[in-house]
């Protein structure tokens, strides 16, 4: 069962970014499934590494757009991103060291964080991005 499902309530109304959020959600679900199914540490490490890399890629894209359009809330938003990347790195570390029980808790944290971030922080740029022609 998926840990988190994407639906229209999570849309920031910018298609390219919605697609990236969908991919991130899929990756969190895959990682969670791996833990629940008791996948090997090697396989979980691969999943979490891919999730971390994609998270960095997505944040970098979003931040690039913010800078391009002069989004006023850029510094505070970037700080949120940095905190999340640190958390994903923590999950990666705990996965590598085999502390999977803790990783389940952290996976729930990641899910809640991402959902709240999209709903509260990302949605704030929606209108600004659209007004500046970002699709
Ligand atoms: Fe979509 Fe600010 O992360």
């Amino acid at each position: 069962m998926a840990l988190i499902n994407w639906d229209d309530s999570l849309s920031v109304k910018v298609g390219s970014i919605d697609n990236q959020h969908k991919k991130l959600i899929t990756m969190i679900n895959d990682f969670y499934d791996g833990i629940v199914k008791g996948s090997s540490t090697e396989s979980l490490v691969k999943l979490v590494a891919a999730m971390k890399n994609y998270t960095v890629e997505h944040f970098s894209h979003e931040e690039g757009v913010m800078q391009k359009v002069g989004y006023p809330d850029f510094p505070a938003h970037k700080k949120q991103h940095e905190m999340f990347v640190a958390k994903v790195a923590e999950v990666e570390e705990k996965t590598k060291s085999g502390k999977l029980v803790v990783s389940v808790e952290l996976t729930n944290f990641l899910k809640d964080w991402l959902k709240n971030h999209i709903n509260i922080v990302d949605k704030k740029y929606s209108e600004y991005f659209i007004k500046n022609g970002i699709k």
Side-chain angles (χ1 to χ4, degrees):
M1 198 179 83
L3 185 66
I4 172 174
N5 289 303
W6 194 92
D7 61 39
D8 279 348
S9 71
L10 284 171
S11 175
V12 296
K13 313 292 181 208
V14 177
S16 57
I17 293 179
D18 278 348
N19 286 337
Q20 292 175 13
H21 287 156
K22 286 176 193 172
K23 187 167 173 178
L24 265 181
I25 285 169
T26 299
M27 290 175 124
I28 289 180
N29 284 333
D30 289 347
F31 180 61
Y32 178 76
D33 280 350
I35 293 171
V36 171
K37 280 191 240 156
S39 297
S40 68
T41 299
E42 191 190 356
S43 147
L44 290 173
V45 167
K46 276 187 194 158
L47 288 172
V48 77
M51 185 170 68
K52 189 179 82 177
N53 291 340
Y54 192 69
T55 299
V56 170
E57 193 181 319
H58 165 61
F59 287 169
S60 167
H61 172 83
E62 218 173 59
E63 288 165 17
V65 175
M66 286 181 206
Q67 287 181 298
K68 186 176 146 195
V69 300
Y71 181 60
D73 212 25
F74 170 70
H77 199 129
K78 185 176 168 61
K79 196 159 270 182
Q80 291 266 324
H81 285 171
E82 286 166 357
M83 284 164 54
F84 189 65
V85 170
K87 209 69 193 176
V88 178
E90 185 184 335
V91 174
E92 186 179 30
E93 209 35 59
K94 288 186 188 302
T95 305
K96 277 183 185 162
S97 61
K99 294 177 183 164
L100 298 179
V101 174
V102 181
S103 288
V104 172
E105 283 170 25
L106 283 170
T107 307
N108 275 314
F109 172 87
L110 298 179
K111 179 254 303 176
D112 291 338
W113 191 95
L114 183 65
K115 208 170 174 177
N116 286 333
H117 181 76
I118 293 172
N119 270 327
I120 298 164
V121 185
D122 282 354
K123 279 186 180 174
K124 279 190 198 162
Y125 63 55
S126 189
E127 200 181 324
Y128 196 90
F129 278 19
I130 293 165
K131 200 172 71 187
N132 282 278
I134 306 299
K135 291 178 182 163

